[in-house]
Amino acid sequence: MGKLWKIYKILATAFVTILIIDCAVVAFFAFYRPAITKADAIVVLGAAINTPALYNRSLEGLRMYEQGKGDVMVLSGGRISDKDISEAGYMQKVIESKAKDPVPIILEDQSHSTYENISNSKNKIPQARSLIVVSDDFHLARAVLTALRKGFYPVYWSSPKPVYYKTSELAYYFMREVMAMLAYVPKFVMG
């Protein structure tokens, strides 16, 4: 029983350590903002259409573009159902209705996950090296680490202020993201 207890103790310690590191990584990307110099492209990641999250991500991407931070915007997100337009199409409508001048937009409307958002966006902009990723705070760690793994460098990040979330919703999304980061470890390691 003593040997088995030691194994349980080692596994529990390893799990808690990994969880603490994971939480720290998610928090770092959520709360730290790098000084953004100009990047080759701005990739705005999708969320459910007709939500404050997607609307505000779109406006944050537009703000980055209008500040001269990127040459082109890639709007990335597929359809949730056949009845809806794609997340990318929704973002395009928001941006076109709010932009002062025409914005060069590339639509990536086939993705259904963060990994596909970044992979499919890379295929749309093969010449791009540097990138600005726009998403919500809690989602940035996974998105930025995926972009780095896909060969973008440097990768900057930005997000809208999360005033459209209740505190309980933010807590839920942060915890969900911690779990999603653990599920992405194989993608980070193997590409």
Side-chain angles (χ1 to χ4, degrees), residues 29-169:
F29 284 97
F31 299 113
Y32 173 76
R33 290 294 175 269
I36 298 176
T37 58
K38 189 169 182 172
D40 296 328
I42 300 165
V43 174
V44 184
L45 301 182
I49 62 170
N50 299 317
T51 61
L54 192 56
Y55 180 80
N56 285 287
R57 288 179 190 187
S58 304
L59 294 182
E60 180 65 15
L62 177 60
R63 186 180 74 80
M64 292 278 105
Y65 176 78
E66 288 181 340
Q67 288 180 355
K69 301 295 185 183
D71 295 328
V72 64
M73 291 183 71
V74 180
L75 309 177
S76 182
R79 287 179 171 202
I80 294 173
S81 80
D82 291 337
K83 298 177 205 168
D84 295 324
I85 64 171
S86 68
E87 295 165 0
Y90 175 86
M91 289 187 278
Q92 182 180 25
K93 286 183 177 188
V94 171
I95 289 167
E96 288 176 347
S97 73
K98 300 292 183 180
K100 297 172 188 158
D101 297 307
V103 177
I105 291 174
I106 297 172
L107 292 182
E108 185 292 295
D109 59 2
Q110 299 302 307
S111 59
H112 295 95
S113 69
T114 303
Y115 186 81
E116 289 178 359
N117 285 138
I118 301 298
S119 296
N120 295 347
S121 294
K122 179 145 181 95
N123 292 337
K124 296 276 187 175
I125 50 170
Q127 74 289 355
R129 299 289 172 249
S130 57
L131 194 66
I132 299 169
V133 175
V134 176
S135 191
D136 282 301
D137 288 339
F138 52 81
H139 186 225
L140 289 169
R142 190 161 41 119
V144 170
L145 291 174
T146 301
L148 287 166
R149 185 65 178 106
K150 285 296 180 182
F152 289 106
Y153 187 83
V155 177
Y156 306 101
W157 58 95
S158 186
S159 65
K161 293 192 185 306
V163 295
Y164 43 91
Y165 289 110
K166 296 176 187 171
T167 304
S168 60
E169 290 174 319

Side-chain angles (χ1 to χ4, degrees), residues 175-186:
M175 289 313 301
R176 189 178 85 171
E177 195 59 31
V178 166
M179 295 300 117
M181 283 284 290
L182 292 175
Y184 264 57
V185 169

